[in-house]
Amino acid sequence: MRSLASQKYDAIVVGGGFYGCYLALSLRNRFHRVLVLERELELLSRASYANQARVHNGYHYPRSLLTASRSAVNYPRFKKEFSDCIDDSFLKVYGIARGTSKVTAYQFLQFCSRAGIPARKTPDAIARLFNSSLIEDTFVTEECAFNAVRLRDSLRRRLDEAGVTVLCGVEVDRIEAGKSRDVRVVAKNGARWEVHCAFNCTYAQLNEVLARSGLAKLPLKLEITELALIQMPPALEKLGITVMDGPYFSSMPFPARKLHTLSHVTYTPHVSWNDLEANEQPQFPAQLPSKHIFMMRDSERYLPLLREARYVDSHFETKTVLLQNEIDDGRPILCRCNYQMKGLYVVLGAKIDNIYDINQVIEKETFTEEAKHELYQ
């Protein structure tokens, strides 16, 4: 324990997912000594890995123009910065369900126009793959996927090159006011560090860390979700497909395993709860029963060729969203600065490309004069 805490740091990021790692790199531009603490044995091994690997360009959010517009702004920047991790070798098609969708095909096109994102009619050969009695229309869009393993390797390399220290297998117990500096971070193994600022980027564990720290929880909804991994038939291998907005299912290439993911609005969530009201998070059962068969059977009504897909396995993970976005399905960032104590920042990023919006908030922050004198390069 003593060896862990022997090095002095100026800023600590708790949580080694994509957001935590990227923020650590940004902080290294301002501070000499930055530390990332991750409870798993490897970075980007939980929610940053076990998701649809989609780089959003706004199409997902026809009922939240703000989220869509921010995605459209961040999409090309993310795609350029992480070009070595991007897979855009497939065609991304959005289908609008007939009668049961919360938006019509016309409304979807109007929304795309307002958000400044391209959408065009799907070629007939692809349009015919869909069940026209259930699908009003389909559109080709510009959206890509990322390779989660390459992204992890890229960030690990950048952290090493920037001189950011990473400690995996270290779980934080609490964050409290410090004595010699603003904030004290205490690990469950007893190690502790006093720093000028600490960032809680633990995603599904945000409120867990806050509660153990004696601080108020945030209004979050959590879900234990299942993402099925399937082998597509040849005719669908080079397609990403989303049917919306109501019945809703989505399939995207998952480059890290050369498979496709499949999610479904009804069957992907297994358990959900209001984290503001819960005394503690439900625990994952030893083995959750998969609902992939229901996902596939319902989805193939809209896309009949899906019946030829082969199920491989599933990712189970906890998804976190703001309660306020249950109605419009928006995914804004959350960044609380000096949250109930000086120097504590709480960050929730719902979409991987929204990281640039978080950075804008952090870059506006003014640290103490002492910190400027001691830490700024």
Side-chain angles (χ1 to χ4, degrees), residues 93-192:
V93 177
Y94 274 75
I96 309 301
R98 187 182 297 278
T100 55
S101 176
K102 295 176 182 177
V103 297
T104 65
Y106 173 78
Q107 289 170 332
F108 181 75
L109 280 178
Q110 291 296 105
F111 150 75
C112 290
S113 177
R114 292 175 64 195
I117 49 181
R120 67 181 190 274
K121 292 284 289 184
T122 306
D124 289 344
I126 294 174
R128 284 194 293 268
L129 298 175
F130 294 83
N131 181 351
S132 60
S133 67
L134 295 178
I135 297 293
E136 179 188 356
D137 211 342
T138 58
F139 303 96
V140 173
T141 62
E142 291 186 11
E143 208 166 53
C144 63
F146 63 87
N147 186 313
V149 172
R150 289 185 184 176
L151 188 64
R152 178 178 62 204
D153 293 344
S154 175
L155 285 172
R156 185 59 152 165
R157 182 175 62 253
R158 293 187 192 196
L159 290 166
D160 289 342
E161 292 172 352
V164 174
T165 302
V166 175
L167 294 179
C168 291
V170 178
E171 184 173 2
V172 167
D173 179 60
R174 64 189 185 276
I175 302 171
E176 57 194 20
K179 292 183 179 179
S180 62
R181 290 184 175 182
D182 294 325
V183 184
R184 180 187 297 119
V185 177
V186 182
K188 285 191 172 182
N189 61 17
R192 58 187 63 207

Side-chain angles (χ1 to χ4, degrees), residues 226-255:
E226 177 184 7
L227 195 64
L229 290 167
I230 59 177
Q231 180 69 57
M232 282 293 200
L236 300 179
E237 282 183 344
K238 287 297 183 179
L239 292 179
I241 296 158
T242 297
V243 169
M244 59 192 313
D245 178 26
Y248 203 99
F249 75 88
S250 189
S251 177
M252 287 284 292
F254 191 74

Side-chain angles (χ1 to χ4, degrees), residues 47-324:
S48 295
Y49 177 83
N51 61 54
Q52 280 216 302
R54 183 198 307 264
V55 185
H56 283 272
N57 199 8
Y59 303 100
H60 237 49
Y61 305 104
R63 289 176 286 130
S64 179
L65 187 60
L66 174 60
T67 299
S69 299
R70 292 311 306 164
S71 294
V73 169
N74 292 326
Y75 177 82
R77 182 176 175 183
F78 184 93
K79 191 175 178 182
K80 180 179 179 180
E81 181 174 358
F82 295 100
S83 59
D84 57 336
C85 308
I86 292 298
D87 181 355
D88 56 4
S89 64
F90 59 95
L91 201 64
K92 186 65 213 300
V93 177
Y94 274 75
I96 309 301
R98 187 182 297 278
T100 55
S101 176
K102 295 176 182 177
V103 297
T104 65
Y106 173 78
Q107 289 170 332
F108 181 75
L109 280 178
Q110 291 296 105
F111 150 75
C112 290
S113 177
R114 292 175 64 195
I117 49 181
R120 67 181 190 274
K121 292 284 289 184
T122 306
D124 289 344
I126 294 174
R128 284 194 293 268
L129 298 175
F130 294 83
N131 181 351
S132 60
S133 67
L134 295 178
I135 297 293
E136 179 188 356
D137 211 342
T138 58
F139 303 96
V140 173
T141 62
E142 291 186 11
E143 208 166 53
C144 63
F146 63 87
N147 186 313
V149 172
R150 289 185 184 176
L151 188 64
R152 178 178 62 204
D153 293 344
S154 175
L155 285 172
R156 185 59 152 165
R157 182 175 62 253
R158 293 187 192 196
L159 290 166
D160 289 342
E161 292 172 352
V164 174
T165 302
V166 175
L167 294 179
C168 291
V170 178
E171 184 173 2
V172 167
D173 179 60
R174 64 189 185 276
I175 302 171
E176 57 194 20
K179 292 183 179 179
S180 62
R181 290 184 175 182
D182 294 325
V183 184
R184 180 187 297 119
V185 177
V186 182
K188 285 191 172 182
N189 61 17
R192 58 187 63 207
W193 301 265
E194 291 207 2
V195 292
H196 289 289
C197 53
F199 292 77
N200 181 2
C201 301
T202 53
Y203 190 59
Q205 296 295 313
L206 281 176
N207 279 338
E208 290 281 296
V209 174
L210 293 176
R212 291 197 299 265
S213 304
L215 304 175
K217 291 183 177 182
L218 295 166
L220 303 176
K221 176 186 176 182
L222 275 71
E223 296 177 337
I224 296 177
T225 61
E226 177 184 7
L227 195 64
L229 290 167
I230 59 177
Q231 180 69 57
M232 282 293 200
L236 300 179
E237 282 183 344
K238 287 297 183 179
L239 292 179
I241 296 158
T242 297
V243 169
M244 59 192 313
D245 178 26
Y248 203 99
F249 75 88
S250 189
S251 177
M252 287 284 292
F254 191 74
R257 292 188 57 186
K258 298 182 179 179
L259 296 169
H260 276 61
T261 58
L262 179 64
S263 64
H264 191 287
V265 69
T266 301
Y267 301 113
T268 284
H270 280 247
V271 181
S272 64
W273 65 96
N274 180 336
D275 207 37
L276 199 59
E277 299 173 352
N279 293 324
E280 59 182 20
Q281 288 190 16
Q283 297 298 308
F284 273 97
Q287 186 174 2
L288 280 171
S290 174
K291 295 182 181 179
H292 72 274
I293 190 67
F294 303 109
M295 297 185 203
M296 296 177 73
R297 290 297 171 265
D298 189 63
S299 301
E300 71 187 34
R301 293 192 301 124
Y302 301 90
L303 188 66
L305 266 179
L306 266 178
R307 65 172 58 97
E308 298 179 17
R310 180 178 64 87
Y311 171 73
V312 178
D313 58 26
S314 293
H315 289 159
F316 289 92
E317 191 51 86
T318 304
K319 177 182 176 181
T320 309
V321 298
L322 293 170
L323 281 173
Q324 69 191 47

